[in-house]
């Protein structure tokens, strides 16, 4: 082999090596760019090689997960299975997802085997479900992401997590801005006004009777009252982490200026009728002044950690300080469903408006 030929072979070999290296480097870079690394609500780092295409929502409180996930367009094409989304007053999920009938519906007690049978590449769970369901799924190698979705701050963080998972970071920031604008509007409207002593009660009834409960500090229901310009009379004492049952004697001792009643499985208006029919209750200031209100809802009550929490806060502000608002509250309802879920006026009037209950002024 002559020197000249050897030189050409070496040059071509070098060029081939460089081209191969560039192709390999580009492939590694593309794979790196496609990788998604998120930190969920429990501070766990979870890595995905690409945006998840088979999403399962399971466990308890699935309505919070579903209603947060479906704030992002196009997710209906990725969701393959979803847990229970009916609190007893109807199911909002078919409104969110036209293909809901084709989804696998998991029971509230669905175990790891049933969940893994859906071949998910992302499983969304509420954070408190880790010990009961999450750990076995993690041990089996499933990609599990936990969300809190309990306070306004957690909503913002968890919406960003979903935005990263779905590669819809811009939509996440848009949603956070929407929540922020509505929250700022409430705060500006009630600023400088005297805070009204307010009691929020959760009503529950069964064949044996009924009961009322109050939420602890930090829960979304307490935050709603504070944000709306109310003074939560029940937060002065020691409360357990969950709902705290309260008797009439304590309610009478507080004797608040306004009472807001919510209910998840029954109609809050049932509790209002019950209260107005009781002689002892009629002696309370709130009842005498006509400031006894039923928290509205549609498929779900607005008094819970769901994207509707901001609607509930706006409604309480309108109830406690009606003089602070010029426009009718009803306009805020349809605007909420259009801004957050792209449900236009026609669909709102057909699917959601007939479901509205509570004191809508």
């Amino acid at each position: 082999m002559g020197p000249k030929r050897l030189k050409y072979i070496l040059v071509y070999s070098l060029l081939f090596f460089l081209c191969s290296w560039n192709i390999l480097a580009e492939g590694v870079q593309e794979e790196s760019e496609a990788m998604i690394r998120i930190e969920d609500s429990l501070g766990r780092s979870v890595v995905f090689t690409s945006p998840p295409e088979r999403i399962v929502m399971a466990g308890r409180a699935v309505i919070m997960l579903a209603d947060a996930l479906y704030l992002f367009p196009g997710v209906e094409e990725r969701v393959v299975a979803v847990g229970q989304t009916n609190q007893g007053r109807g199911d909002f999920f078919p409104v969110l997802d036209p293909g809901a009938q084709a989804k696998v519906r998991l029971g509230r007690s669905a175990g790891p085997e049933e969940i893994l049978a859906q071949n998910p590449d992302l499983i969304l769970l509420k954070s408190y479900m880790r010990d009961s369901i999450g750990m076995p799924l993690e041990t089996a190698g499933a990609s599990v992401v936990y969300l809190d979705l309990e306070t306004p701050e957690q909503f913002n963080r968890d919406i960003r997590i979903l935005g990263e998972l779905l590669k819809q970071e811009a939509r996440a920031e848009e949603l956070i801005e929407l929540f922020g604008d509505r929250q700022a509007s409430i705060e500006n409207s009630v600023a400088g006004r005297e805070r009204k002593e307010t009691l929020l009660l959760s009503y529950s009834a069964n064949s044996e009777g009924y009961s009322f409960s109050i939420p602890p500090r930090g829960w979304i229901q307490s935050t709603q009252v504070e944000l709306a310009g109310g003074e939560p009379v029940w937060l002065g004492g020691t409360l357990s982490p969950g709902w705290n049952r309260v008797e009439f004697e304590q309610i009478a001792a507080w004797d608040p200026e306004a009472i807001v009643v919510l209910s998840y499985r029954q109609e809050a208006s049932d509790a209002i009728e019950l209260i107005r029919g009781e002689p002892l209750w009629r002696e309370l200031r709130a009842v005498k002044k006509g400031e006894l209100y039923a928290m509205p809802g549609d498929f779900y009550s607005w008094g819970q950690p769901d994207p509707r929490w901001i609607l509930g806060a706006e409604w309480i502000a309108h109830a406690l300080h009606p003089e602070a608002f010029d426009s009718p509250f009803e306009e805020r309802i349809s605007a909420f469903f259009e801004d957050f879920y792209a449900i236009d006026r026609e669909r709102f009037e057909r699917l959601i408006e007939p479901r509205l209950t509570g004191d809508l002024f």
Side-chain angles (χ1 to χ4, degrees):
M1 183 184 297
K4 189 172 182 181
R5 186 176 179 186
L6 178 61
K7 178 180 178 182
Y8 284 139
I9 291 174
L10 290 173
V11 169
Y12 283 127
S13 298
L14 179 61
L15 288 173
F16 177 79
F17 172 77
L18 291 174
C19 288
S20 299
W21 175 260
N22 285 337
I23 292 171
L24 179 61
E26 287 174 4
V28 171
Q29 182 179 358
E30 288 175 1
E31 183 178 349
S32 176
E33 289 174 352
M35 264 181 131
I36 301 172
R37 183 185 298 273
I38 63 99
E39 184 176 298
D40 70 8
S41 66
L42 295 179
R44 300 166 54 256
S45 180
V46 188
V47 178
F48 298 84
T49 56
S50 61
E53 295 296 333
R54 293 185 61 81
I55 301 174
V56 171
M57 293 174 283
R60 294 180 178 273
V62 171
I63 68 165
M64 286 78 169
L65 298 172
D67 289 357
L69 181 65
Y70 275 77
L71 294 169
F72 295 85
V75 295
E76 64 274 9
E77 300 172 4
R78 305 185 186 191
V79 172
V80 296
V82 60
Q84 182 176 326
T85 52
N86 189 330
Q87 286 187 319
R89 297 167 52 182
D91 193 354
F92 184 54
F93 187 68
V95 178
L96 293 176
D97 192 332
Q101 294 299 323
K103 313 293 184 187
V104 174
R105 301 308 299 265
L106 301 169
R108 182 175 292 183
S109 58
E113 296 82 3
E114 189 176 352
I115 295 170
L116 292 171
Q118 311 311 318
N119 192 28
D121 48 25
L122 166 63
I123 301 169
L124 289 176
L125 296 175
K126 288 281 283 180
S127 56
Y128 66 79
M129 298 300 300
R130 189 184 191 197
D131 291 342
S132 58
I133 296 180
M135 287 299 292
L137 291 169
E138 291 178 43
T139 302
S143 296
V144 183
V145 169
Y146 300 96
L147 302 177
D148 284 329
L149 298 168
E150 292 289 344
T151 69
E153 295 75 21
Q154 290 174 356
F155 260 90
N156 288 348
R157 180 201 61 204
D158 293 350
I159 283 171
R160 284 195 172 99
I161 291 172
L162 291 173
E164 292 171 8
L165 281 169
L166 300 169
K167 286 292 186 182
Q168 294 191 39
E169 291 89 345
R171 173 58 175 167
E173 295 307 316
E174 179 187 10
L175 289 166
I176 290 168
E177 185 175 353
L178 285 169
F179 278 114
D181 288 347
R182 283 184 172 244
Q183 185 169 338
S185 176
I186 298 171
E187 292 172 333
N188 292 335
S189 297
V190 302
R193 299 180 186 277
E194 185 176 354
R195 302 184 72 83
K196 189 171 290 186
E197 293 180 355
T198 305
L199 175 61
L200 182 142
L201 296 170
S202 175
Y203 167 73
S204 180
N206 55 44
S207 58
E208 299 178 357
Y210 65 89
S211 63
F212 292 99
S213 301
I214 51 176
R217 186 180 299 277
W219 274 31
I220 201 76
Q221 297 85 357
S222 301
T223 300
Q224 287 176 314
V225 172
E226 292 174 317
L227 177 61
E231 185 64 39
V233 296
W234 72 93
L235 293 182
T238 301
L239 298 171
S240 66
W243 285 102
N244 295 249
R245 184 163 175 168
V246 62
E247 304 298 336
F248 175 77
E249 290 74 17
Q250 179 59 71
I251 294 171
W254 285 322
D255 195 16
E257 297 176 79
I259 297 177
V260 173
V261 181
L262 63 84
S263 182
Y264 299 122
R265 298 193 175 278
Q266 292 90 21
E267 297 294 342
S269 56
D270 293 347
I272 300 299
E273 290 182 15
L274 184 151
I275 289 172
R276 287 177 177 155
E278 293 286 345
L280 290 176
W281 283 85
R282 290 201 296 265
E283 294 303 312
L284 297 178
R285 281 192 298 167
V287 181
K288 286 181 177 180
K289 293 168 55 183
E291 295 209 50
L292 174 64
Y293 304 105
M295 170 78 79
D298 43 87
F299 291 88
Y300 312 135
S301 169
W302 297 350
Q304 58 187 317
D306 175 90
R308 292 164 172 78
W309 78 265
I310 193 66
L311 264 182
E314 289 177 313
W315 172 81
I316 295 174
H318 276 76
L320 299 182
H321 304 283
E323 72 284 353
F325 299 91
D326 297 326
S327 59
F329 176 72
E330 286 83 348
E331 295 178 4
R332 305 295 292 164
I333 306 173
S334 59
F336 169 85
F337 286 99
E338 183 163 9
D339 292 342
F340 286 83
Y341 292 110
I343 295 175
D344 60 25
R345 184 74 193 186
E346 185 276 328
R347 290 185 66 218
F348 171 79
E349 292 178 348
R350 178 165 50 89
L351 300 174
I352 298 174
E353 194 169 49
R355 293 277 184 168
L356 294 176
T357 60
D359 293 323
L360 290 168
F361 319 120

